[in-house]
Each structure stands twice: as structure tokens, then as C-alpha cells.
Amino acid sequence: MLPDYHWECQFTPAIQLFLLRSVHPWRLMRVGLFIPCYIDQLYPDVGLATLEVLESHGLDVHYPPAQTCCGQPMANTGCNADAKPVAQHFLTTFEPYDYVVGPSGSCVAMVRHHYHGLIDEAAEHRLAAKTFELCEFLVDVLKVTPPRHAFPYRVGLHQSCHGLRELRLGPCTEAQVSRVNKVRVLLEGLQGIEFCNLQRPDECCGFGGTFAVAEEAVSCMMGDDRIADHQQAGAQVMTAGDMSCLMHLEGLIRRQRKPLAVMHVAQILAGRQPQQV
Amino acid sequence: MPTSREQILTAVRANQPPATPVPQVKGTWIEYDDIVGQFCGLLKSIGSAGYLVDSLDQINATLAELPAYQSATRICSLVPGVGDSSVHLDSLARAHELDQLDIAIVNAELAVAENGAVWISDAAIKYRALLFMAEHLIVVVPANGLVPHMHAAYDRLRLPEFADGRKAFGAFISGPSKTADIEQSLVIGAQGPRSSAVFLLR
Amino acid sequence: MSHATLATEFVADRKRAAWHDSALWFVRSKRDKCAQALPEWESLREIASQIKQHTSSRLAEYLEEFERNATANGIQVHWARDAAEHNAIVLRLLQERNVKLLAKSKSMLTEECHLNPYLEKHGIEVVDTDLGERIVQWRNEPPSHIVLPAIHIKKEEVGELFHEKLGTIAGEFQPEYLTEAARVHLRQKFLEADAGLTGVNFAIAETGGFVVCTNEGNADLGASLPSLHIASMGIEKLIPKLHHLGVFLRLLARSATGQPITTYSSHFHAPRLGGELHVVLVDNGRSKLLASEEFRRSLNCIRCGACLNTCPVYRRSGGHSYESPVAGPIGSVLGPARDAAKNASLPFACTLCGSCTDVCPVKIPLHHQLLAWRKELADEKLVPADKRFAMKMAGLLFRSPWLYATAGRVGRFALRFAPRWLVYNRLNGWGRQRELPPAPKKSFRQLFRERKK
Ligand code: SF4
């Protein structure tokens, strides 16, 4: 049984960490922290939150500073020749680690499912097998006990498409397949949390990478529709496993000054509270 | 010059991928505890009606209560003992004379509980247009022809043939004709029958 | 025009776009309910997908088997390499029999071949007898959806149109009333028609027959009154066995409109007594598509329209924004296969959300095919140059951690201190309706380094 990351004890966090590392089975595991480029540059706190969550489980987390991007923007535009060296760079950067964990379903899906033809095939399978999205890593690999700190808010869970339909982090309304919702189970134990019932629980937000700009009109309408759905459901905080969706939605929310806080799920798991509600 | 047929077949043959196996159509298909209830309930949900009856008299009695039947003047029944037939297919010069036919009463072989469909062939119907021209379609099916789903229906179904061996027409018909082409609002009675009823005869 | 341009026009009327979106979402929700009622749903999809893939892998044999059996049944089989040949065959059949009026039921293939204008040019009156198709035919528009051709039109507009064409009461637009008026009109056309033309949903190699599915009964009326029945089908419509229909008929209507089955699933196997039945088998690019390992599975499509109904982009941009006989995800896969340059924007009219792949009853990996098209298009330099240039630059940037980190610093610095007018202008597609993300002083990598110290 692994310890809860909000382990109650009187030691300082540093001592806790030391004790954890020395006693539990994951202490030998080297985890490469993958912080996607836009999170690194624009949402550093999401990166910190991810790091804190992983470390609270006693993991030996490394952040290889040579990392840049997974190559998704180029690959999704069809420019595989430009994506190739980036994917190769990603591979080299993360080669030394037992696991690669990142707070983004979309980028992890890129590494896991779309490196075919970008890097050599054996490496592709090796990398795919060890790369995880944060929530699935916590649920499937670490099998953690979900945290129980207070988060007394009405939460709208935005199910990011790549997490949902590429990584299968949860059930989706199209398919008659029962699956555990790996984002939701991690949040469910929080004190006071209440999930809102969305009318369209897994519709796309309209970000879609370059789509957000190339198809700006449709993209923004999709985003507005998602926000309206969260608002009609009474959400105070909107959260998701992908900051890219949230960047787009937050952009709309801030422009329209809507009273809806936006947080990455890692931030909630790490014990952050919403800045404005 | 090779014919178009040869050109197409040659191109297809050159381009088709290596053969993959044909799967078995096998599975745990849905079953219904109350199969008659399921069938009649489904018909009701699509604007039709289903009845389980024991005799032709019972069918006639039910028909007599249907407003569409009461006001009907032109009726064509191909089910002996059911309805008062006033139109006889043999006396028509062509199918077009079925226009303004109020009621058609026909036999079907199978009924499918999962979707309310009945399997009707025109092997014994001189003008198959009858099925689509009539304002109201009444179908009589043997109750033991009721199957739970389409797989069972195809297991039982034999492609209909005329007496001279020519292949006949067959259709699964589920409820009255309908459309939702104007703003997705369902309107029953598009180009074909405006209503339908199915009698499961024990 | 690009999809984005046309979509922007469609979305400009937000209320109407929202109405369009919810009409289609309603259909998608009905589909969900219907699919959820069948515990075997996912295994049916898997079997359907395998049957179709198997058929593709032996298509030549099945075509020959179909032809043999159909001919034995008294059906006359024709082969057309392309749209022009298909149209010529149909015209010849009609002219030889002195046909003046053709009652046509829905067939996406004849849309693809532009059959109507061709026949009209040769003096044949063509009446589309599906209500939705009749509406768009009168409006001189192509259908905007493969199953719901008039989904983009409001009932008030249909009311006006029918007032003009059928003399219905001005200002009346109740669907019941309008449908009744169309019924009277179309029934008259069926009685007058000299020939009927239908599409084909499934053709069965084993029996040499084919199945047509409709709700209105229009295909059956058109194929039962006139003595000539022509059925046009793409060569990919084949299935091997009669009992395979059990799988496809269970999936088709549930996926399409959320009904357990269409009202009519008509099995045609021979001409009527004294009548003629002709089947035109059309290639028109299909055999070529079969060669592509990447895209051949798009030939498995049964034209249910589920991927359109679920597509968040289709729902908000309307079928006409695709300028292609088939719109939505499957249209965006098939379009570039027909004409890559003309349809180059379609694979980008997509967020890669993957919903289409999960609804597709024959499991075509639609969003992966759209992604694969992007690559093909980029290789053929059919992706706009600015996009390609940006990706080239990004590729260079991301190859060097130092360049990347420096660019990030500079970018964030600029964002923090640039005046609003400089950041939010017409060139900034992001910023027209959205704020840019906050530009923090320090990146994660900087904070990480400081934290370790
Ligand atoms: S691609 Fe699939 S979902 Fe789309 S129309 Fe074809 S069969 Fe239906």
C-alpha cells in the first residue's frame, strides 16, 4: 500500500520526503518529468504542481532541462519532416528514465500513439510503454489513494479529447465501453467537492492546436458553448487534464469576464485553491 | 480496348489488400423476456400498433374499431377472412390504379421484436406497390414468426420466389412511412402509408 | 473557398449556427440512446468493420459473384469507370425507353456524379422524391448532409418555398402541413414517372440482390410504379452474404437517426414481371482508394451520417462549408482523395477530437485518417505556405533547448510589456475573441532551477 500524499505527520515536508524515499517501493524508480513547452513557458505553476504531486509519493523526479516540445504542433499540421528531429530530441532527452510523466493528455498521446515514422520503431515502443499522463500514472502505475484535502467548490470537469479518446482516461458517451474515469476518481475524495452535471459531458472545446487560429470562428463558438454548459451547471471551477484546452477556454472567459475559475487538475491535486471564485 | 468492366476488375484486383478472414456473425444478442410486449411496445413508439390475437374474428373486431377502417371505402385484403375487400388486384390494369386505396391487408412471415419490423414479400402480391400506395397498411403475421432480432430473422428468412422460380421482392417494414426532413420534426405519413398495424396471430 | 472562410460566414449568424448545432446534437443524442439499448453494440461494430475489410480484400471476386447472381436473376448489370460513364449509361437507358420524367430517391453517388444537371441538360425532368432532397433541389442547392439533406433549412423557409412552388398558404410552416403538401405533389409525380432511380445501401454478392433503406417509402414507390428501375451503386457497397445484413441493418438506422431500423429495408433481387431492373456499378476513384493502405478503410463507410452529427465542427459550420458532395469527417477524408488541391482545407477543419471514430458503426479511424491527410497534403505542399513556414521555424526552435528557452524568455517579456494594441490586432487570430495566456515572469524551468538551489 502506498502512502497518501497528504500523509498526516509532524515532520517537515523535507523530512517526510526523505522518509518516503527511503521506505517505499518506488524509491528506485527514476521519473522524467515532462513539462510540455507551453506549460513551461506560460503556466509554470502547473509544472510545479505536477512536480509536487509526484514528489509527494516519494518518487525520484528529474526534470531534464534539455526538453523542449513533443513535436505535436508540427505533426498535427502534417509537417512530419519538421516533427522528426523534435521527436528524436524528445527521445534522447528522456531515454535515461524509467518513466516519463507529463500533465497533458494531448502531448502524452502524441508520444505514445503518433511517433510512428518519426523515431525508430524499437525506440517508439519503448518510449510509448513508459510515457504516462499524470492522472493515469497516479491511478494505474502508482495506484494511489486519492487525496482528501478540502476543495469546497462546484467543479466542472472538462474532458479533454486526446486524454479521453486517445489515452482512454475515462468513458465517453459515444462508446458502450465501461471505463474508470481516471481524472475524476482522483478528485472524488476531496472534501466538499461537488461535480456539475454537464449537458454535453465530453464535447470538444474547440482548441485543436492551429485549428484555434485557422478556424477561429468555429473554435471560439465551440469554446463559448463549453463555457455556457459549465455555467448552466453552476460550476465555480473548471478543470481539465490538459492546459491547452484550458488556455483557450480561459482566454474566452477572461475576455468576457465570466466568473469561472480555471485550474489544471494537477493544481487541484497539489492542494492549490482557486484564485478567484 | 478492354471494357470498363475489365478495367475496373483489373484495377480492383491489383489494388485490393491481402485477404483478411470473414468474421463469424456470432455474439450474445439481446433477448427479451416478454417478446410480444417488446414488439408491440416498439410499434407503439413508432406510431404503429401491434396486437396479439387468437383468431381472424378477433382481427376483424379490432379493425372495425379503427377509425381509418371505419371510414375506408377502398379496401384490398389479401388475407382470406380478414376485412371486406372491395378492390381486387386481378381486376386492375396496372398498379397506378391503387392510388387512393384506403386499406391494404397483407400477410407477413416474420416479425422482429427489436425494431418492430415485419418481413413481407410480394411473391403472392400481384402489384407490390400495394404495400406503399395504401393509406393504411394492416399486416397479419403468425405469432410463431416473431423473433427477437435481425440475426434470428435472417436465419429464418428464405428469399421469396414466384411460382415460376423468379426471385421476388421482400422488405422489412417497420411502422408507417415517416419523415423528419423539416427541422427534425417527425411527421408520420410521408409518401407511403399514414398508419400501420400488425396482428400477431396465434 | 477554404472551409474556414465559409465556416466563418456560417458562424457569423451565431443564433442560426447554434440552432443547427442543437438540431444535430439532438440526432446524436437519439443515436446514443439507441446504441446504449443494445448491449452488443460494440461487438456489432467490430463484426461490421471486419466484414467490410474482408470484402475490400476480395472485392474483385465479390463483384464477379454479384454480377453472376444478379444476371441470373434477370438484373442487367452495367459497369462505369467514372461519373461521366455512369451518367451516360443512365441517360442511354432513359432515352432508349423514351423516359421524360425520372423519380429519383436519395443516392449520394448521383450527387457525386452530378447526375441531375446532366439529365436535365438532355431534356429529362428529374424529381428528387425524398422530401429533404426535393427541398434542396427546388432551392438549387446541394444537400448539406448525407442523411438529412435539408437540415440547414428552417421550416419558415420551407413554408415560403412551398408557397411559391406548391401554392401552400403563405405564412404556414407547420411541418405536418408542409409534409402533407409534399406528399400530394410527390405522389402525383410517382404516378406520372416513366422510370425510377434509387441508390443502393448494400449489395449482396451471394444472392445478386441489393437493399435500399428509406423512411419515406419514396424509393419503393419509384421502384414499384414505373416499369424501369435503375439502381446506381459504388463498387464498395458489396457485402458477401445475405445474413451479413443482420449486422448492418442493426447498425445503420441506429447510428443514422437513432431509430432501431428504417421504415423500409427493401430487398430487390429481380425485375418485376414486365419490368426492367438495371444496376450500374460505379468505380469513380474507388479502386484507386483501395490501393492506399492509409485510406482504404474509408471505403467501408455505410453513409449513416453519424460522424457528421457528432462532429462539433460540422454542427457549427454547416454542410455547405465543405463544398463537397459528402460533408463532415468522412467527407473530409473522401474529398482530398478525389481532388487534393480543391479539398486541401478539409482535413484541417477538425480539432482531432476523435468523436467521429468512436461513433462510426464500421469503425473507420476517421480522425487518424484526417491526420494522415494532413501529412499527405503537407508533402504535396498543399498546406498554406505560412503554416508550413511556421512549422519549419518551430521545428528548428524545438531542436535546440537554448534557442527554445531564449525565445520563450523574449516572447514572454514582449507579451508582458507590449501595449495592448500591438498584441491584439487584426493579425492576431487568437486574440480577436480570446485573451492571450498570462505571460509569467519566469518559466517552469527557471523556477525549477531556483527551487533546487
Ligand atoms: S464514416 Fe462511419 S460514421 Fe461516417 S457516415 Fe460513414 S459509416 Fe457513418
Side-chain angles (χ1 to χ4, degrees):
Chain A
M1 192 68 217
L2 286 163
D4 190 312
Y5 40 80
H6 293 276
W7 196 28
E8 279 173 44
C9 88
Q10 296 93 357
F11 300 124
T12 65
I15 297 173
Q16 270 186 49
L17 206 61
F18 173 80
L19 287 173
L20 268 170
R21 287 227 175 113
S22 45
V23 295
H24 87 63
W26 300 116
R27 67 187 186 280
L28 296 174
M29 182 161 108
R30 281 164 56 84
V31 173
L33 178 62
F34 163 34
I35 298 300
C37 50
Y38 68 98
I39 293 184
D40 171 34
Q41 293 297 325
L42 303 170
Y43 297 98
D45 186 59
V46 174
L48 288 177
T50 307
L51 178 65
E52 289 165 28
V53 169
L54 290 172
E55 284 186 340
S56 72
H57 289 284
L59 299 172
D60 184 13
V61 185
H62 299 251
Y63 174 76
Q67 64 180 285
T68 58
C69 165
C70 63
Q72 184 171 202
M74 303 104 220
N76 282 2
T77 313
C79 302
N80 280 28
D82 302 312
K84 241 181 202 174
V86 181
Q88 186 58 49
H89 178 75
F90 186 95
L91 172 70
T92 321
T93 310
F94 286 100
E95 196 73 288
Y97 302 99
D98 302 314
Y99 287 96
V100 182
V101 181
S104 161
S106 191
C107 304
V108 167
M110 171 71 199
V111 174
R112 194 184 293 166
H113 296 311
H114 299 283
Y115 266 20
H116 188 69
L118 299 181
I119 58 176
D120 119 327
E121 204 166 316
E124 174 197 333
H125 295 307
R126 222 168 42 236
L127 188 59
K130 69 175 186 182
T131 305
F132 290 86
E133 185 274 339
L134 174 66
C135 295
E136 68 177 346
F137 185 71
L138 295 174
V139 173
D140 293 346
V141 181
L142 297 189
K143 301 187 169 58
V144 302
T145 309
R148 278 187 286 275
H149 61 268
F151 195 76
Y153 300 101
R154 290 180 58 79
V155 170
L157 179 55
H158 173 71
Q159 315 249 30
S160 296
C161 298
H162 288 171
L164 199 62
R165 299 194 191 86
E166 292 266 329
L167 299 182
R168 301 297 184 191
L169 296 183
C172 60
T173 49
E174 295 90 358
Q176 314 317 312
V177 181
S178 66
R179 294 187 175 100
V180 177
N181 188 325
K182 293 170 195 171
V183 184
R184 194 178 160 131
V185 292
L186 286 173
L187 296 175
E188 243 156 18
L190 297 177
Q191 269 170 47
I193 194 169
E194 220 183 296
F195 290 98
C196 301
N197 284 326
L198 301 175
Q199 285 170 349
R200 301 185 186 181
D202 49 20
E203 192 179 41
C204 176
C205 69
F207 171 66
T210 56
F211 179 90
V213 177
E215 289 263 8
E216 187 242 6
V218 177
S219 169
C220 290
M221 180 172 173
M222 286 168 69
D224 283 343
D225 289 352
R226 288 289 77 236
I227 294 164
D229 194 1
H230 283 258
Q231 289 203 303
Q232 68 75 29
Q236 297 168 295
V237 179
M238 178 195 269
T239 189
D242 255 295
M243 206 56 220
S244 50
C245 310
L246 293 177
M247 173 168 76
H248 159 69
L249 292 167
E250 188 191 35
L252 291 162
I253 290 170
R254 277 179 34 224
R255 175 66 61 87
Q256 297 167 23
R257 299 177 197 286
K258 296 224 157 116
L260 186 58
V262 172
M263 291 175 80
H264 189 280
V265 69
Q267 293 173 301
I268 300 182
L269 293 175
R272 312 271 196 281
Q273 298 292 317
Q275 291 190 339
Q276 99 273 357
V277 170
Chain B
M1 239 320 248
T3 60
S4 298
R5 175 184 186 277
E6 284 157 9
Q7 288 183 40
I8 295 172
L9 285 173
T10 310
V12 169
R13 222 181 295 279
N15 294 345
Q16 64 192 19
T20 59
V22 56
Q24 296 277 307
V25 180
K26 268 209 197 115
T28 336
W29 315 129
I30 197 161
E31 292 288 341
Y32 303 99
D33 295 334
D34 174 12
I35 187 168
V36 173
Q38 158 68 25
F39 179 73
C40 296
L42 206 130
L43 280 180
K44 196 163 171 219
S45 75
I46 57 173
S48 182
Y51 308 90
L52 181 65
V53 293
D54 289 311
S55 66
L56 299 183
D57 288 345
Q58 224 181 318
I59 300 180
N60 284 321
T62 313
L63 284 180
E65 281 169 22
L66 294 180
Y69 192 81
Q70 287 163 357
S71 61
T73 54
R74 298 183 74 211
I75 297 174
C76 177
S77 172
L78 301 180
V79 184
V82 178
D84 303 316
S85 214
S86 59
V87 174
H88 301 282
L89 294 183
D90 283 333
S91 63
L92 304 180
R94 56 192 208 132
H96 295 63
E97 291 170 30
L98 289 167
D99 192 28
Q100 311 294 326
L101 180 79
D102 293 308
I103 301 221
I105 305 174
V106 298
N107 277 311
E109 284 160 46
L110 298 170
V112 188
E114 69 162 320
N115 56 25
V118 288
W119 171 254
I120 307 181
S121 97
D122 75 344
I125 306 179
K126 186 172 174 198
Y127 299 116
R128 72 165 181 244
L130 178 74
L131 302 170
F132 314 106
M133 292 291 276
E135 297 280 307
H136 306 280
L137 182 67
I138 310 294
V139 182
V140 181
V141 201
N144 62 15
L146 177 61
V147 295
H149 43 66
M150 292 298 280
H151 308 295
Y154 278 104
D155 282 345
R156 299 247 315 242
L157 176 158
R158 294 287 157 265
L159 278 184
E161 287 184 1
F162 293 105
D164 60 4
R166 273 184 314 117
K167 289 247 170 69
F169 165 92
F172 283 104
I173 299 184
S174 168
S177 90
K178 56 179 175 283
T179 182
D181 273 350
I182 302 177
E183 279 203 18
Q184 277 304 294
S185 22
L186 181 68
V187 181
I188 307 259
Q191 280 83 282
R194 297 171 192 276
S195 83
S196 75
V198 178
F199 291 93
L200 294 166
L201 179 60
R202 262 203 291 239
Chain C
M1 254 185 277
S2 76
H3 178 273
T5 311
L6 294 166
T8 305
E9 281 171 25
F10 193 83
V11 173
D13 188 347
R14 266 272 176 131
K15 246 176 92 188
R16 191 176 179 114
W19 164 82
H20 188 264
D21 165 69
S22 55
L24 286 150
W25 183 260
F26 171 68
V27 185
R28 149 92 210 265
S29 311
K30 281 201 298 179
R31 172 258 172 222
D32 288 353
K33 245 204 223 135
C34 223
Q36 279 153 14
L38 275 194
E40 61 260 43
W41 184 254
E42 296 299 334
S43 56
L44 280 175
R45 287 178 71 224
E46 182 56 36
I47 296 171
S49 159
Q50 287 181 24
I51 294 174
K52 279 289 190 179
Q53 291 187 65
H54 163 76
T55 315
S56 284
S57 77
R58 296 196 33 207
L59 188 56
E61 289 89 326
Y62 284 127
L63 283 166
E64 285 171 323
E65 185 185 350
F66 173 77
E67 183 191 39
R68 212 167 37 242
N69 291 325
T71 310
N73 293 341
I75 297 175
Q76 299 183 49
V77 179
H78 309 263
W79 299 75
R81 277 159 310 169
D82 52 24
E85 192 173 8
H86 163 263
N87 293 353
I89 292 170
V90 174
L91 178 67
R92 180 171 52 75
L93 291 172
L94 298 178
Q95 283 178 336
E96 281 170 3
R97 287 153 191 82
N98 203 16
V99 169
K100 300 268 176 305
L101 174 62
L102 175 69
K104 193 165 145 276
S105 73
K106 198 154 64 200
S107 145
M108 289 322 297
L109 177 63
T110 58
E111 283 299 326
E112 175 187 323
C113 296
H114 302 290
L115 178 68
N116 286 17
Y118 176 81
L119 293 180
E120 281 157 6
K121 207 175 72 202
H122 287 87
I124 290 168
E125 183 187 348
V126 184
V127 176
D128 277 320
T129 58
D130 173 88
L131 174 58
E133 294 234 306
R134 188 65 175 144
I135 294 170
V136 294
Q137 186 184 27
W138 265 330
R139 285 168 58 107
N140 274 319
E141 280 176 359
S144 69
H145 186 292
I146 55 180
V147 174
L148 318 161
I151 189 75
H152 62 293
I153 302 167
K154 295 210 164 193
K155 55 178 184 261
E156 291 81 2
E157 292 159 338
V158 179
E160 264 171 55
L161 182 73
F162 279 20
H163 171 62
E164 180 198 325
K165 301 284 182 187
L166 296 176
T168 55
I169 303 167
E172 258 317 322
F173 51 77
Q174 284 315 311
E176 291 79 13
Y177 171 73
L178 297 174
T179 302
E180 181 63 27
R183 174 189 173 95
V184 172
H185 160 73
L186 289 169
R187 282 209 152 206
Q188 191 53 41
K189 290 291 179 191
F190 284 123
L191 291 171
E192 291 165 11
D194 310 301
L197 187 145
T198 67
V200 167
N201 290 91
F202 305 99
I204 311 123
E206 175 190 37
T207 64
F210 60 90
V211 173
V212 181
C213 304
T214 70
N215 277 327
E216 298 180 8
N218 57 317
D220 291 292
L221 281 163
S224 303
L225 288 168
S227 57
L228 172 62
H229 174 191
I230 304 172
S232 296
M233 62 174 273
I235 53 173
E236 83 283 18
K237 293 286 174 218
L238 275 178
I239 55 172
K241 302 274 182 210
L242 183 69
H243 78 269
H244 289 156
L245 283 169
V247 177
F248 291 102
L249 293 184
R250 298 187 84 191
L251 287 166
L252 178 62
R254 286 185 171 95
S255 298
T257 50
Q259 305 167 239
I261 192 167
T262 49
T263 303
Y264 303 101
S265 309
S266 302
H267 298 48
F268 296 91
H269 275 86
R272 297 194 336 267
L273 197 59
E276 287 179 64
L277 178 50
H278 295 260
V279 170
V280 190
L281 293 167
V282 184
D283 183 339
N284 205 30
R286 288 164 175 76
S287 60
K288 199 176 125 220
L289 198 50
L290 194 60
S292 153
E293 197 183 330
E294 201 80 71
F295 300 117
R296 73 167 62 101
R297 281 180 70 185
S298 60
L299 289 170
N300 299 352
C301 172
I302 58 173
R303 299 288 190 271
C304 71
C307 59
L308 284 71
N309 303 340
T310 202
C311 176
V313 179
Y314 171 85
R315 276 188 266 112
R316 290 173 182 82
S317 62
H320 291 156
S321 62
Y322 293 77
E323 292 189 302
S324 166
V326 180
I330 182 66
S332 301
V333 172
L334 296 173
R338 234 189 343 268
D339 183 343
K342 181 177 171 277
N343 296 305
S345 70
L346 297 186
F348 293 91
C350 164
T351 60
L352 299 174
C353 77
S355 181
C356 47
T357 301
D358 277 355
V359 290
C360 178
V362 289
K363 296 180 100 167
I364 301 172
L366 288 158
H367 75 294
H368 291 155
Q369 297 206 344
L370 289 168
L371 181 58
W373 262 121
R374 295 181 182 187
K375 181 177 166 319
E376 299 267 317
L377 293 168
D379 289 350
E380 290 170 38
K381 306 232 180 318
L382 289 168
V383 172
D386 56 340
K387 240 189 208 176
R388 272 184 291 128
F389 178 74
M391 290 309 146
K392 179 143 269 99
M393 288 299 106
L396 289 174
L397 190 72
F398 289 137
R399 241 174 284 182
S400 152
W402 179 84
L403 250 185
Y404 156 79
T406 312
R409 259 177 215 255
V410 173
R412 276 183 286 113
F413 181 85
L415 263 187
R416 284 221 317 283
F417 296 106
R420 228 185 133 75
W421 59 263
L422 190 66
V423 177
Y424 294 93
N425 57 36
R426 289 191 316 127
L427 294 175
N428 177 357
W430 179 276
R432 240 186 307 254
Q433 300 181 58
R434 287 167 290 219
E435 290 297 300
L436 276 113
K441 266 206 198 93
K442 291 179 179 167
S443 64
F444 171 76
R445 58 187 58 222
Q446 286 169 285
L447 293 174
F448 182 84
R449 219 178 306 126
E450 288 168 15
R451 182 175 182 263
K452 287 277 139 154
K453 273 180 207 157

